[in-house]
Structures are given as structure tokens and as C-alpha cells.
Amino acid sequence: MITKKGINASPGVAIGPALVLDTEEYRIPLRTVDPSQLATQIRNLDAALQASRQEVQELRVAATRKLGDDTAGIFAFHEQFIADPRLREQVVELIQQRRYSAAYAFGQVMNQRQKLFRSVADPYLKERVRDIFDIEKRVLRHILGRTREDMTRLTEPVVVVAADITPSQAISLDRRHILGFAINVGGPTSHMAIISKLLGIPAVVALGDITSDVSGGETLIVDGTAGIVVASPDPETIARYQERQREHERQVARLRTLRDQPAVTRDGVAIELLANIEVPEEAAAAVEAGAQGVGLYRTELLFLSSTRVPTEEQQYETYRAAVEAAAGRPVIIRTLDLGADKLAPALGAAPHEHNPVLGLRSLRYCLLHLDLFKTHLRAILRASVAGDVRIMFPMIATVMELRQAKATLADVMEDLDEEGLAFRRDLPIGMMVETPAAALLAPAFAREAAFLSIGSNDLTQYTLAVDRGNERVAHLFSAHNPAVLRLLHRVARAGRVYGCEVSLCGEMAGAPLYTQLLLGLGLRRLSMASCDIPAVKQVVRRTTLAACRALAARVLKFDADRQVLNTLRDAHRALDPEDES
Ligand code: PEP
Ligand code: MG
């Protein structure tokens, strides 16, 4: 039994068999198995050899047809190699005599073969080392797990173990069969973490080398609330986590009873709680969870999950579906925020950037690719007639960017007018405040935008110069850092002075620990994953604005984030269930 601590990315407890992805990139750890498991290991080996052989045969036939016998000869070599009875014999010996797992034993034998081929003088055989490596990957894939592509066609529930998962991979998964995620890298607000939360799948990230600690098929517990993963748990541990699983479900059910209760503080201040969504289906789930609308619709996910750039019609249909599902509630559609870790395969390989997070991403990319941007804006505008749509531009750092984006939108409106296509002319146009520049210039932006929405994930990343997706600096990523809080305060104040609505839609909005502080700073509108709404609402209903203001005033005097955190924890603990409004 191995227990590992990572970062809690998405709450809940998952228990199930592990599916290890892309094991070929990682070393297979030394693993011995229980004597009762030896026969199973040998059966796995045989099945993997058989499946690999069949794949190679098919490749040989296809290669002969397309490229002729010479090229197909490579696959003939693979086929002979896999079929060699001596290969199987050596692996079986290691399994039986040393109780190695099939994967480890196979890796050992392949290592010896590679060394052998490397040491010979014959250049032809030397060249074959790469083939041996290929064969190893193929067979190991069959022994240990499947490829990422297979994840869209899962047939049984699994806990996915991977070095990393990009947002596009996460969104294309067959989510019905994914119980949980255990991932080597990532931070608390990495997009992978955000997506698993929106999908409602428990996840732990930043686990170091979990892909090497776990083999496919063994039982894995993912406690996404505590950020803990247990591999090969004993029966008592399983029973303990099953109880935690039930407790989590009870807690979710308890909070669900708040669904129809208003989000009003004890001293009568109404707070608007909105949902973040990525796909239209989530809009209905958001309404179900008690959201008063959609505060952040991340449109780029449609681009990430497709190999072709979505057409105007496809985009229009998708956005309209989300707006209709919100049934008259406001839907803030954020324009494309592609780039950095959100790379759309359909847009082709981007030129290498040393600092992609500071590179040609998001609105900057759109303003340089006007055709793509205009098509996108057309689709949003056309969908606007279906409800209360508002448009929001991401990643703005300069006033010129906002003006350019608005001018492009005005051009698109003119085009639609000329074509006689309907759209809502008066829809509010706002922007995200997620760069320190935008926060510092908040008064200027508040005069030109209909609303501001603080993206605390990026704002924290850029203010503290801490990569939000890098587990090595995750301990330095804190949205409650005094520097970040002073920026939040500044933006909220600018909103008040210039009569511009300010909301917050980063992960911070969904953490009950921060709720009182955010209200105290002056925010009245928070947008979060639907699953977080009930817990945040509970805090709203148990506090008073007066207490929140006093808390914010205190916290704003601190210079160290430890002090902030301790004070927030105390204030959160002090909330009394009896006091609920
Ligand atoms: C943010 O940066 O806080 C935000 C909400 O946007 P995203 O997480 O999509 O970058
Ligand atoms: Mg952002």
C-alpha cells in the first residue's frame, strides 16, 4: 500500500482500478507481486504479446500494400521478435523466480536485448535498437494500460493515472467511466484541475511520479478533498475511504437543500452567485445547483475538443444552446482564451515560445487573427437574441486592447446589420481583470467597460510571478497574498467609484474560506464551479456584511499571507450555523 500527498484539485472520493496512461514515457518501477498473482501476470503477458503481434501483422499487411516489401520488412522484424519463444520464456522466468510484475520483467528483458543489439558491430543490427524500443512500448501499452485515444471509448469505470492531461484531452474523455484523476504535475488552478471540478470528477494533481508508482489494474483511492492518493489499499483502508465517500455524498445532499434559499447575508445584502461553464450542458446543471446565471462561459473548450476550427454555425448552435439552457438568466460569454496550456489542435502547431503564458495568447491572438475572431464574435452576437447575453474579453493589459476588441465587435455588428441577421445591439461588453496592469488601471477600464470580472487565477499567477500549473511552485501560489488582495481591493473600489459592476470568476470565488473577505472587499457577484455554489451560499447566509467589512479591513493591513490565512480560517470557523439568515 502506497500513500501519496498531492494537491486537492477537485473534491470527492473515487475508488477503482487504475488506468495508467502513456507509460512508455516513464520508467517502469520495480514491482514484485504476491505469489497468488503470478499466473495473472503471465496471462497478462501472453495477452499483450498476442495483441501486439496481431497489431504488427496488420501494420505489415498495410505497409506492403502502400509502400512495398522493403518498408514492410521492418514490421516483419517486429513480428519475429515478438513471436520469439525465447523472449517469452525469459520474461516468464523473471516473473516466476523473482515475482516481478509482468511489466517490470518485460522491461528488464527488453533492456538486455537493447544492450545486446547496441554492442554488436553490424550497423543493421545497431539500427534495430530503436525498433526494440518501439516493440517495448507497444507491448507495455498492452500490459499496463491504454493510450489517451482510448479514453474516449472506455467500457468500464477507471481511475486515470497520467503524467499530465491537457484541457483538450480532459474534455474529450468519456466521462461516464472516469471515476477520478491522479496526475503527476499541475497546480490548484491549472486548467486540468478546473475542468475536473467542472466535470465533477475527484482529482489530485502534483503527485510527483504516481505514473511509476502504480501499474494498470490495481486499486487506487483518490481523495480529491484531502489531496491524497492510496495505491493498493488494504481492506480496512478501502472501508475507511468508502465511509468518507458516503460522508462527502451526505454533505453534498445536505448543501443541496440550500438550492432554493436566497444568497442573502444576515443583514440583508443579496449576493449574486453565478456558475462557470465550459459546455452548454453545464448551464442546465448550473441552474439546477441554484446558480443565478452564468458568470463565465469558457468558449475555448469547443476549439480544444475538435481537430477542425469550429464553423460559425457550430459555434452559434453551441452558444445558443447554453443561452437557452440558462432560461433568461444572464450568460457572460468570454471570447476565446486560447494559448499557453490551452492549445487548439485545429489551429496547427504554434511556433515555439519561451514563455507561452506571456506570449501570443487569448485576446492578443484574436486581435492578430481577425478572421477567426470575427467569426467567433458573429456566432456570439447571433446567439445573443436567445437570452441575456453579455460579452467579456479576456487577458487585457492595455486600454488599447479593449478599444480594439470593441471596435472589432462594432465592425461585426455592422456586417450582421448589412446581412439582416438579428442580434442584441445593447448587450453589455465587459472584460476580465487578470493582469496586474488591468488591476492597476482599473479606474480607466471601469470607465470604458460595462463590467469587470476579476480572473483571480491569472491575476495571482502574474502578480506573484508563479506559474499556476507548475507543481514545483504551487506552494507559492496564493490568491490571499497581500499583493493580490490589494489589487482586488483597488478593482472593487474603482468599480464603485465609476458605477461599473465588478465580479470575480477565478477559483477563489468558489472557496468558502474567501467568501467573507470578498464580500468585505466590496464584491457582490461571484462566479464559480456549480458544485461550489451551495457551500459559498451557506457562508453568505451565515455572515453579515458588517462582519465581512471588518474582516477585510483587518486583513488588508497584513503584509504576510500567513497572517491573512490564519485570520480567514478563524473567521470561517467562527461562523455559527445557528445564525443562518
Ligand atoms: C482566471 O484566470 O481566473 C480565469 C477565470 O480564467 P481561466 O482560469 O480560464 O484562465
Ligand atoms: Mg484566466
Side-chain angles (χ1 to χ4, degrees), residues 189 191 194 276 278 296 298 300 334 337 342 361 432-434 454-459 468 505-507:
T189 66
H191 287 104
I194 290 173
N276 293 352
E278 318 241 311
L296 168 63
R298 291 182 166 97
E300 54 279 3
R334 179 174 75 180
D337 187 37
K342 292 189 275 194
R361 57 169 291 208
M432 294 199 63
V433 176
E434 48 184 352
I454 301 171
S456 55
N457 307 333
D458 277 319
L459 187 61
R468 62 193 267 194
C505 63
E507 293 311 286

Side-chain angles (χ1 to χ4, degrees), residues 22-153:
D22 285 4
T23 46
E24 57 261 37
E25 286 164 32
Y26 301 93
R27 132 192 98 75
I28 305 296
L30 168 58
R31 280 177 44 79
T32 53
V33 293
D34 192 79
S36 65
Q37 290 295 306
L38 295 179
T40 313
Q41 296 297 318
I42 295 172
R43 262 202 308 280
N44 282 352
L45 171 73
D46 284 338
L49 288 172
Q50 173 62 27
S52 306
R53 196 170 158 194
Q54 198 167 332
E55 273 176 13
V56 172
Q57 263 168 6
E58 283 162 15
L59 284 171
R60 180 169 55 77
V61 172
T64 311
R65 210 172 41 237
K66 285 192 200 147
L67 305 162
D69 281 342
D70 282 355
T71 316
I74 298 289
F75 293 112
F77 171 80
H78 285 215
E79 208 178 319
Q80 275 166 13
F81 193 101
I82 297 170
D84 178 4
R86 190 67 205 121
L87 175 74
R88 177 186 181 276
E89 237 168 68
Q90 284 179 336
V91 182
V92 170
E93 252 169 49
L94 286 181
I95 295 175
Q96 287 177 329
Q97 292 170 6
R98 310 227 183 139
R99 297 205 283 120
Y100 286 165
S101 67
Y104 186 71
F106 185 75
Q108 290 297 299
V109 172
M110 293 304 276
N111 254 343
Q112 291 162 11
R113 296 284 169 109
Q114 279 176 23
K115 275 193 201 132
L116 192 72
F117 274 69
R118 231 180 244 126
S119 67
V120 295
D122 182 337
Y124 174 81
L125 289 180
K126 250 196 167 60
E127 269 291 290
R128 300 281 72 78
V129 171
R130 282 195 62 76
D131 291 295
I132 295 178
F133 186 60
D134 254 12
I135 295 168
E136 181 178 358
K137 281 200 302 188
R138 185 181 300 284
V139 177
L140 281 177
R141 205 164 61 224
H142 283 290
I143 297 178
L144 285 167
R146 284 165 273 189
T147 59
R148 284 166 197 269
E149 292 75 57
D150 287 335
M151 304 234 310
T152 51
R153 302 190 297 268

